[in-house]
Amino acid sequence: MLNKNSKIYVAGHHGLVGSAIWNNLKQRGYENLVGRTHKELDLTDQLAVRRFFDEERPDAVVLAAAFVGGIMANSLYRADFIMQNMKMQCNVISEAYAHGVQKLLFLGSTCIYPKNAPQPMKEDCLLTSPLEYTNEEYAIAKIAGLKMCESYNLQYGTNYIAVMPTNLYGPNDNFHLENSHVMPAMMRKVYLAKLIHDGDWQAIRRDLDIRPVEGFTGSSQCDDILDVLAKYGIYDNKVVLWGTGTPLREFLWSEDMADASVHVLLNVDFADIIGIEKYSSVHYGASTDGSVDRNHSAGRGGAIPSLGEIRNCHINVGTGKELTIRQLSELVVKAVGFEGTVEFDATKPDGTMRKLIDVSKLHSLGWTHRVEIEEGVRRLFAWYQESLNTK
C-alpha cells in the first residue's frame, strides 16, 4: 500500500500526461517524487535504467514516457515507433520487477484496438481483428506493454496496471507541426493563419523562435517562413487540414487523465480487476500466514483452469463522448478568434473513422471525467498563448 512517504518514479514527467500526473500527486501530498529528463536518463538504454533503479529504489512507477506523434509521424518513423517504445517499456517493467516495485502504472493508448472494432470499444475487443495501418507499430508496442503487465501479474503476483487513454490534450502539449497530434497541430495552424492575415510578424517570429518548423525560426526570411508554413496548410487567413473532417474522435483533458491515473495508482489493484479471493488462493496458494509466494505460478501462460482465461485487464480512460474533426475545428476557430476559412484535403488520409471507447469499467472503479471539450479547447489555447509569453 502506497503512502505519502512512498517514493514514486514518474517516467516522462515533463511530457503532456507525465507532468500532469506529477502535479496531481503533489496536490495530493505525495512529495517523494523522482523524475529524470531524457537527457538525464535514456530509457532505451538497459544498463542506464538498471543503474537508475539500483540508486533510487522506487516504491512505485508510473510509465508515462513514450515515443509519440500523429498520422504523419507514425507514417514516417515506423521503425522508431515500435522499437523505441518496446525498448523503454521492456527496460522499465523488467527493472521494476527486479527491484521489487510495489505498484506500476503503464500508460498506453486506445489505438491498440482494431480499426473496425464495434463502437464504443470495450476492453474485450482487443486483438479481435486487424489494427489501423497508419499507427500499427505504436499500437503493437502498447499492446505488448499491457501484456507484459498482465503476464508479470499472472506469473509473479505483481501489481502492474495498464490504462489506455483516448486522445489527450492539455498543458505541455506538443505543438510542433511535424509530429504533434491533431488538436494542438490544428490550433497552431489556425493561430498562425490568423497572425499572417493580421500581419503580426512579431508574434509569428516569437512562435517560430519557441517552436521552429523544419529548422526555420523567427530570424528566417518572411518568404521562407511563409513557404514552410504553406507545406503544413497554413496560409493568409486560410488553413488546410488533412482528411475529410468526418472521422469521429474522443478527447480527454490531460489533467483529467492524470487524476484518473493517480486514482488507479492509489486505489485500484490487479486483484480488484479479476477478483482477489479466487486469484490469491487459486493462483498462488496462500500460505498459513496469508503471504503470497511471488515466484510461484500455478498457471503459466495466463490460463488458470478454475478462473478461465485472464486477459484484457487494462482499463479504458476517456469521456465516452465524441465529435467530428470538423466540429473540433469549429471549436478551435472560435477559441482562437479566427475569421478565415478552414478547408479539408480529402486526398490525405483520415485514419480510423471512429475511436469511441467504453468507459464503464473506469466508472465502476470510481472515476469520471470533469472537463468537457468546449472548455478544454479554450483552456488549451489559453495555455498555448501563455507559453509564447513565458519561454
Side-chain angles (χ1 to χ4, degrees):
M1 179 68 66
L2 300 178
N3 57 52
K4 296 294 175 65
N5 296 317
S6 297
K7 181 182 284 190
I8 303 174
Y9 167 46
V10 182
H13 73 297
H14 281 176
L16 172 64
V17 186
S19 62
I21 289 174
W22 183 282
N23 292 334
N24 189 285
L25 285 165
K26 285 275 191 181
Q27 290 163 8
R28 292 173 185 245
Y30 289 81
E31 296 289 341
N32 194 7
L33 305 182
V34 180
R36 293 289 187 276
T37 64
H38 175 70
K39 187 175 181 181
E40 293 169 332
L41 175 60
D42 180 359
L43 294 179
T44 66
D45 184 335
Q46 185 178 16
L47 292 178
V49 174
R50 182 170 300 163
R51 285 194 298 269
F52 167 79
F53 274 86
D54 285 342
E55 294 167 3
E56 293 293 343
R57 299 278 172 173
D59 299 303
V61 170
V62 176
L63 183 44
F67 186 86
V68 299
I71 290 178
M72 182 184 295
N74 273 271
S75 299
L76 292 174
Y77 310 118
R78 300 185 76 90
D80 287 340
F81 270 89
I82 191 166
M83 187 59 75
Q84 300 291 336
N85 285 296
M86 288 290 288
K87 282 182 177 179
M88 284 191 278
Q89 61 204 34
C90 283
N91 291 339
V92 173
I93 292 172
S94 62
E95 292 304 323
Y97 173 70
H99 291 80
V101 166
Q102 297 174 32
K103 190 78 175 280
L104 182 143
L105 188 73
F106 173 77
L107 276 67
S109 165
T110 53
C111 72
I112 61 170
Y113 293 118
K115 178 176 182 177
N116 297 315
Q119 305 286 321
M121 299 179 291
K122 293 180 178 289
E123 287 87 354
D124 289 345
C125 73
L126 181 67
L127 297 175
T128 55
S129 61
L131 298 164
E132 160 62 37
Y133 179 74
T134 57
N135 60 15
E136 190 173 40
E137 283 71 19
Y138 184 72
I140 288 172
K142 289 301 179 181
I143 291 170
L146 73 87
K147 285 295 182 183
M148 284 179 213
C149 293
E150 199 172 86
S151 300
Y152 267 83
N153 292 343
L154 291 171
Q155 183 169 344
Y156 297 118
T158 51
N159 197 10
Y160 301 167
I161 311 295
V163 290
M164 300 295 127
T166 188
N167 300 290
L168 300 173
Y169 69 105
N172 294 314
D173 217 330
N174 175 12
F175 284 82
H176 291 272
L177 297 179
E178 293 138 281
N179 60 4
S180 60
H181 285 124
V182 59
M183 191 188 299
M186 180 188 295
M187 186 170 285
R188 189 180 181 196
K189 288 177 181 181
V190 170
Y191 176 63
L192 287 169
K194 180 180 186 297
L195 293 181
I196 293 172
H197 182 69
D198 293 345
D200 191 347
W201 277 95
Q202 182 178 355
I204 294 170
R205 293 185 186 282
R206 176 69 174 159
D207 186 280
L208 266 69
D209 274 338
I210 294 171
R211 300 177 179 89
V213 180
E214 294 188 9
F216 290 93
T217 67
S219 60
S220 301
Q221 295 296 316
C222 292
D223 288 345
D224 292 335
I225 291 174
L226 293 175
D227 286 344
V228 74
L229 293 183
K231 289 176 61 177
Y232 293 90
I234 304 166
Y235 305 94
D236 181 346
N237 224 30
K238 184 178 82 170
V239 172
V240 179
L241 302 175
W242 278 29
T244 62
T246 57
L248 288 157
R249 288 292 181 270
E250 175 184 10
F251 293 94
L252 179 67
W253 182 244
S254 61
E255 292 174 332
D256 270 356
M257 173 58 194
D259 194 63
S261 298
V262 175
H263 174 82
V264 170
L265 179 71
L266 301 179
N267 301 298
V268 178
D269 294 327
F270 184 67
D272 297 322
I273 298 172
I274 66 172
I276 178 60
E277 295 85 1
K278 291 191 300 181
Y279 183 65
S280 60
S281 61
V282 175
H283 190 67
Y284 296 103
S287 64
T288 55
D289 65 359
S291 63
V292 170
D293 179 1
R294 292 183 59 200
N295 295 311
H296 173 68
S297 173
R300 295 183 188 278
I304 304 172
S306 62
L307 295 183
E309 294 184 351
I310 296 175
R311 61 175 78 240
N312 303 327
C313 301
H314 57 284
I315 305 167
N316 287 339
V317 182
T319 64
K321 301 178 181 181
E322 62 189 344
L323 77 168
T324 67
I325 296 298
R326 186 179 296 275
Q327 289 172 323
L328 174 64
S329 72
E330 292 166 358
L331 292 179
V332 169
V333 162
K334 183 177 179 180
V336 174
F338 182 61
E339 297 180 352
T341 60
V342 175
E343 298 177 2
F344 287 86
D345 183 356
T347 66
K348 296 293 192 298
D350 272 325
T352 307
M353 292 305 294
R354 194 181 182 203
K355 291 175 62 178
L356 182 65
I357 56 172
D358 184 299
V359 291
S360 55
K361 181 189 285 189
L362 178 67
H363 289 174
S364 73
L365 294 169
W367 190 90
T368 305
H369 79 282
R370 297 179 179 85
V371 178
E372 301 295 350
I373 186 68
E374 296 82 3
E375 178 187 353
V377 169
R378 291 194 299 270
R379 284 196 196 182
L380 182 63
F381 184 60
W383 181 88
Y384 182 64
Q385 287 183 301
E386 184 179 344
S387 76
L388 297 173
N389 296 322
T390 57
K391 290 188 178 182

